[in-house]
Amino acid sequence: MNLPGPATTSAAVDRVKGWLFAPGSVPDWVVETSGSTGAPKRVRLSREAVRASVTATRERLGHDGGWALALPPAYVAGLMVIARSLLAGTDPLIVSASPEVGVDRPSLDGRAISLVPTQLLRLLDSAGGPAWLRTGALVLLGGGPVPPGMRERAAAAGVRVVATYGASETCGGCVYDGLPLDGVEVSLESDGRVCLAGPMLFSGYDGDPELTATTLVDGRFRTSDLGELDGGSRLRVLGRIDEVIVSGGVNVPGGAVAARLREHPAVAEAEVVGAPDEEWGRRVVACVVPSASAPGLDELRDWVGERLPRAWAPREVVVLEALPRLASGKVDRQALEAAWGR
């Protein structure tokens, strides 16, 4: 079972309600991944897994009230907002998180809301956005890296933010502020690959048993992310395995370089791709959206080299007005690779 393509959001809510509360057994719900790094996959989620995720989220956040839906219901983040609200006994409040909505946006009235970083950033920058967010209980932030300073800005505006990490295969976020939800186990393989286990794991990929067999191993979901465990328990995600760029014989984790670039005071957003290079094999290319005057290559190389190995520093900078994004709000890395990875 999955959300009908042309359905309205309210129709999607009704269909999820029927699935959650139907007597007896029900088929798995199928959601598609966003396809930000490749072809979308059809992920099967059992009703038990969805309910387990809702319960663990409620216990961690201490919020047993309703939710506002500002994300596409066809993706897992939207599905989980609907499920959390319905299992709390109320339909989700359907809202727009666009700053252009202005005074016409209804009060959150103590509800929680899930947003992606771009939505939160635009709301914090808009005239009425912070005040509107303060009418809610909290912001659950996921779907991409959190820009430096965003959480501090939100806190200064009186907005509680909880950052999540997870995937469609884990019913969305299952690690909050770096710490796994109750019942979730985080482990690392020898190469740093993040693995997740727990009652909210997916059942498999619809129509793709081979991919299921290589991804869901011994009750663990083998993600495509690299990570480290600070202090042995708090997860820090370094980037995707397929973002590693071999440049001059050095493995450069693109996600870590991009995270460092985002800390630059003149950089609003940044991603890193690899491009063919006659001398280095592949060179590190920084795709940057400036917040002020665009910093030059030498400045950004020095900035990266202050914290990370100098060999990881970008050898090319591309200045963009905005990063390409998918309907889910995630960065469209395929578009970046096609345009600048060449």
Side-chain angles (χ1 to χ4, degrees):
M1 180 182 292
N2 65 335
L3 289 172
T8 63
T9 301
S10 58
V13 172
D14 289 340
R15 192 164 186 189
V16 175
K17 184 184 297 185
W19 180 73
L20 278 176
F21 299 109
S25 61
V26 293
D28 289 346
W29 195 279
V30 178
V31 296
E32 283 196 347
T33 62
S34 62
S36 59
T37 58
K41 299 182 285 289
R42 290 172 54 83
V43 179
R44 291 172 33 226
L45 300 174
S46 70
R47 184 167 63 179
E48 292 74 22
V50 169
R51 285 178 171 269
S53 174
V54 170
T55 299
T57 295
R58 181 176 64 241
E59 292 176 352
R60 175 61 57 84
L61 298 179
H63 176 75
D64 197 21
W67 287 72
L69 179 61
L71 297 169
Y75 293 112
V76 71
L79 167 66
M80 295 310 302
V81 167
I82 296 171
R84 292 184 203 114
S85 206
L86 291 174
L87 290 172
T90 180
D91 284 1
L93 175 69
I94 300 171
V95 300
S96 170
S98 169
E100 288 75 19
V101 176
V103 296
D104 296 328
R105 188 188 295 111
S107 169
L108 293 173
D109 195 25
R111 297 176 178 86
I113 187 169
S114 283
L115 299 173
V116 298
T118 301
Q119 289 174 306
L120 178 57
L121 180 63
R122 291 175 178 172
L123 284 165
L124 291 174
D125 286 339
S126 68
W132 178 66
L133 291 170
R134 284 196 297 272
T135 68
L138 60 96
V139 173
L140 197 60
L141 192 64
V146 180
M150 177 182 285
R151 297 191 66 165
E152 290 76 7
R153 287 187 60 194
V159 178
R160 179 189 175 194
V161 172
V162 177
T164 76
Y165 166 74
S168 299
E169 291 87 345
T170 59
C171 292
C174 64
V175 177
Y176 285 14
D177 288 337
L179 297 175
L181 298 178
D182 291 347
V184 174
E185 296 181 7
V186 178
S187 59
L188 302 178
E189 294 186 351
S190 59
D191 61 354
R193 182 191 294 267
V194 178
C195 296
L196 302 169
M200 61 284 294
L201 282 192
F202 71 128
S203 305
Y205 295 110
D206 190 46
D208 199 336
E210 292 184 3
L211 181 60
T212 300
T214 60
T215 307
L216 191 59
V217 179
D218 296 329
R220 299 180 307 145
F221 167 49
R222 302 178 70 243
T223 76
S224 297
D225 295 317
L226 294 170
E228 60 184 19
L229 293 172
D230 293 343
S233 59
R234 187 178 295 272
L235 177 65
R236 178 170 174 254
V237 179
L238 302 177
R240 291 180 59 86
I241 291 174
D242 56 14
E243 291 176 15
V244 172
I245 303 161
V246 182
S247 182
V250 175
N251 290 338
V252 180
V257 177
R260 174 58 179 163
L261 291 170
R262 295 183 198 109
E263 294 176 352
H264 192 285
V267 173
E269 296 182 293
E271 290 291 340
V272 167
V273 298
D277 189 278
E278 291 185 2
E279 180 179 3
W280 301 99
R282 302 283 288 178
R283 67 179 177 276
V284 178
V285 179
C287 300
V288 171
V289 179
S291 58
S293 297
L297 175 60
D298 290 342
E299 181 179 350
L300 289 180
R301 282 182 57 81
D302 290 343
W303 179 260
V304 171
E306 287 179 4
R307 295 277 184 86
L308 302 174
R310 183 74 179 185
W312 294 8
R315 299 187 180 276
E316 181 182 353
V317 174
V318 175
V319 177
L320 303 174
E321 292 185 0
L323 296 176
R325 295 190 180 275
L326 301 165
S328 63
K330 291 185 176 181
V331 173
D332 188 345
R333 287 199 55 85
Q334 282 191 298
L336 280 178
E337 294 281 358
W340 307 111
R342 295 179 287 279

